[in-house]
Amino acid sequence: MTASRDRTTPGGMTEARARLRSAEAYLQTAERVLEEASAQEFTNVAAGNAVLAGIAASDSISYSRLRKLHRGQDHRGAAHLLGQATPDGKALASVLSRLLDVKDASHYGTTLVTGPRAADSVKWARKLVERAREELER
């Protein structure tokens, strides 16, 4: 395991709920921005918010199941931790990894994320947010 993956912050259900609220807000923003078809630049904003929603949802799941979350610059460590958090963690980690593949382009890129890629990003984020809600309801 790399040092990046070892960086965690302890927490519990209070933190899990807070991260879920953030995930829901990012997702809601991503969905609204994606509906705004008047400017192609909005696809980056929608995808960027979807990435943030997915990360926050992943944090929520990790807090609720493992009582910790990944803390570090490399969000791939969060995907690794998520993979251990639930029985379906490997599938969830794969979804988060797909979102992280869009992160640089959506947050820092000079080229636009395509409309279909932004829509996929919102779909992936929605899956993680819904799964985080399930975790907090169990």
Side-chain angles (χ1 to χ4, degrees):
M1 193 177 322
T2 68
S4 175
R5 288 187 178 158
D6 290 335
R7 294 188 60 191
T8 60
T9 298
M13 295 309 289
T14 299
E15 292 82 3
R17 284 188 285 278
R19 292 304 287 153
L20 176 58
R21 286 191 301 273
S22 293
E24 290 170 333
Y26 284 127
L27 178 60
Q28 186 177 52
T29 301
E31 290 171 337
R32 287 183 179 169
V33 170
L34 190 61
E35 292 172 0
E36 185 61 51
S38 65
Q40 188 177 10
E41 292 80 13
F42 285 14
T43 58
N44 279 37
V45 175
N49 277 284
V51 170
L52 294 173
I55 292 168
S58 170
D59 290 348
S60 178
I61 293 167
S62 292
Y63 268 142
S64 68
R65 283 290 189 128
L66 302 173
R67 303 295 190 247
K68 62 183 176 180
L69 65 72
H70 170 74
R71 181 64 71 201
Q73 294 297 318
D74 181 3
H75 292 292
R76 302 284 172 190
H80 176 78
L81 196 61
L82 181 60
Q84 301 170 23
T86 65
D88 62 339
K90 289 187 185 202
L92 296 174
S94 175
V95 173
L96 179 59
S97 292
R98 280 185 252 148
L99 275 170
L100 294 175
D101 288 343
V102 179
K103 184 180 185 300
D104 283 351
S106 65
H107 288 175
Y108 315 114
T110 56
T111 60
L112 296 176
V113 174
T114 66
R117 185 74 165 171
D120 284 345
S121 297
V122 170
K123 177 183 74 175
W124 299 328
R126 189 178 305 116
K127 178 177 179 127
L128 290 170
V129 170
E130 288 170 358
R131 189 64 182 80
R133 279 188 203 123
E134 290 171 9
E135 283 301 314
L136 269 69
E137 291 171 0
R138 65 177 192 93

